[in-house]
Amino acid sequence: MPSASGTTPGKLPFVVWVLAAGTFLMGTTEFVVAGLLAELAVDLGVSVSHAGLLITAFAIGMIVGAPTMAMATLRLPQRRTLILALSVFCLGHLVAALSSSFTIVLIARAVTALATGAFWSVGFVVATTAAGPRNATRATGVMIGGLTLANVVGVPIGSFAGQFTGWRGPFWALAVFSGLAAVFIGRFIPAQEQRVEVSIRAEVRALRQGRLWLALGAAMLIMGGVLATYTYVTPLLTDRAGIPAGAVPLVLIAFGVGALGGTTIGGGLGDRRPMATTIAAAAATALVLLLLIPLSANAVTATLLVFLMGLTGFTVNPVVTALAMRFAGDAPTLTSALTTSAFNTGIAAGSAIAGTALDSTLGLTGPPVVGTVIAALTLLPLIALAVHGSSNKGRIVARSGAPTDVRRDEPARVPSQY
């Protein structure tokens, strides 16, 4: 029987999958440069470390640009915003692929990151609205699954193709596919959207909720813990576990498969038991990272633990994202953007701290030590959120595409916290 949102419980609208394809493209462009740095450096006449600024520029663009672009496009129709974001994304890759100037490519990357932030912040809102309250976390899981799948498929294929076509080949491909995605978005999102009245003041007012910041803190910490370890997992696998360099991509694919499984599990369980799911997954992540310190000397156990790191760590992501948007009530756009910024802040900070630990006396085990501590800290906001939720059953107004005559003070059904 269809829900109030017009969707059948357990079945996601096709538009959710179209939006997930968009996050796949944008996840690919964020991470594929890491596998093309050598080619980029030679072709653009800079050092490899200098070429690494292309990754930094994108991360900073996401951290700053996601909330900025969310507010700048708040009053635009959602379909128009998504099409515009994909068009800018396409144009940025075309400019980069045609340029021989490192500065222009760097600027193109920053502009592309702004477009990515706009797409994600609005895309999550559109996906959860289309799915309805009962399927909101599953829709979020599918959206994040597009990003995760980029690590499993998009990044390896892009890096491999770049060895034959040069770094410009993957950029051309991303431009073409993003153009096609813009066409599909225009086809499957209605032109006349029934939306509640948007308000910049309401979006900012939603940030006053303590529960919202606890969810954002958990998002930042869990990604910081996992990526602190993942960023430097290659030397751990080759120099400590004794895995041949040529086999490392297979281990990284195992991580991606685990991460994809984690987003699926989180999306499936998060609607029913969000706090039990996130607390258990965060604790399991800390345990896996802790075990990686002594057991990474063996190739088999190291590979298994890298897989489990992706599985447990990424189980948290769709749940805390959905919770943050739920706490934002009828003003979730800025919150969705801040969730993206929180994830990227965790990635940047976690990898930076892990890099310092790698150069310390801890050596190769430094990154998993840092990851263990950060992942364990994730339990603090999650437990606080669980305690706060059980002692204060505040009303949560769900964002919906319902006509504006629906009463705005009507409380939405909230899944059991446990």
Side-chain angles (χ1 to χ4, degrees):
M1 180 177 179
S3 67
S5 65
T7 60
T8 303
K11 183 178 181 180
L12 295 177
F14 182 64
V15 67
V16 175
W17 300 98
V18 175
L19 290 168
T23 63
F24 170 81
L25 294 175
M26 294 179 174
T28 298
T29 201
E30 181 172 7
F31 299 113
V32 75
V33 170
L36 301 172
L37 281 183
E39 290 81 4
L40 278 158
V42 172
D43 190 56
L44 298 177
V46 297
S47 66
V48 172
S49 61
H50 198 61
L53 291 175
L54 296 173
I55 299 174
T56 304
F58 197 96
I60 293 175
M62 286 292 292
I63 293 170
V64 177
T68 302
M69 294 304 297
M71 298 304 290
T73 61
L74 185 61
R75 296 186 183 277
L76 290 178
Q78 291 171 329
R79 187 180 77 160
R80 186 183 303 173
T81 300
L82 293 171
I83 294 175
L84 179 62
L86 284 167
S87 299
V88 173
F89 183 89
C90 174
L91 182 62
H93 283 82
L94 287 176
V95 169
L98 290 170
S99 177
S100 58
S101 167
F102 176 79
T103 301
I104 292 177
V105 175
L106 185 69
I107 294 173
R109 285 282 291 174
V111 172
T112 301
L114 293 178
T116 300
F119 182 90
W120 281 4
S121 60
V122 176
F124 277 114
V125 176
V126 173
T128 53
T129 298
R134 294 187 181 183
N135 297 324
T137 304
R138 284 192 62 230
T140 303
V142 169
M143 288 283 288
I144 295 178
L147 174 62
T148 308
L149 191 62
N151 285 298
V152 182
V153 178
V155 172
I157 290 179
S159 299
F160 183 74
Q163 309 306 315
F164 297 92
T165 65
W167 65 270
R168 300 176 193 273
F171 274 63
W172 280 111
L174 286 165
V176 171
F177 285 121
S178 58
L180 292 174
V183 174
F184 274 88
I185 291 293
R187 169 66 178 83
F188 290 103
I189 294 183
Q192 298 298 327
E193 301 165 15
Q194 292 178 312
R195 301 178 61 193
V196 295
E197 189 69 23
V198 294
S199 166
I200 294 178
R201 183 177 299 177
E203 293 282 345
V204 175
R205 188 167 54 243
L207 303 183
R208 297 176 182 175
Q209 291 201 62
R211 293 178 301 175
L212 173 59
W213 289 103
L214 290 172
L216 291 175
M220 179 184 68
L221 288 168
I222 193 64
M223 285 304 293
V226 172
L227 268 296
T229 305
Y230 180 75
T231 300
Y232 300 100
V233 74
T234 297
L236 184 75
L237 295 173
T238 55
D239 299 345
R240 183 169 170 81
I243 296 176
V248 169
L250 298 178
V251 181
L252 300 184
I253 290 175
F255 171 83
V257 171
L260 186 61
T263 58
T264 303
I265 293 171
L269 298 179
D271 279 320
R272 291 172 288 172
R273 298 183 179 275
M275 299 317 305
T277 300
T278 52
I279 291 174
T285 302
L287 178 60
V288 167
L289 294 174
L290 179 63
L291 291 175
L292 191 60
I293 299 169
L295 299 181
S296 58
N298 180 276
V300 175
T301 55
T303 301
L304 176 61
L305 289 170
V306 168
F307 166 78
L308 292 175
M309 177 175 69
L311 181 70
T312 58
F314 277 75
T315 296
V316 179
N317 293 352
V319 188
V320 292
T321 300
L323 284 175
M325 293 178 64
R326 186 182 299 148
F327 295 149
D330 59 358
T333 305
L334 180 57
T335 297
S336 175
L338 288 174
T339 303
T340 300
S341 294
F343 284 134
N344 280 274
T345 300
I347 292 171
S351 59
I353 298 172
T356 302
L358 182 67
D359 292 332
S360 71
T361 56
L362 293 172
L364 294 172
T365 61
V369 168
V370 172
T372 300
V373 173
I374 298 177
L377 289 175
T378 308
L379 292 170
L380 296 180
L382 290 176
I383 292 173
L385 193 57
V387 172
H388 183 85
S390 63
S391 61
N392 182 9
K393 300 295 184 180
R395 293 179 298 184
I396 301 174
V397 184
R399 174 80 169 213
S400 72
T404 55
D405 60 356
V406 177
R407 292 184 59 185
R408 293 171 64 97
D409 61 347
E410 181 180 345
R413 291 185 177 272
V414 182
S416 167
Q417 296 288 319
Y418 302 98

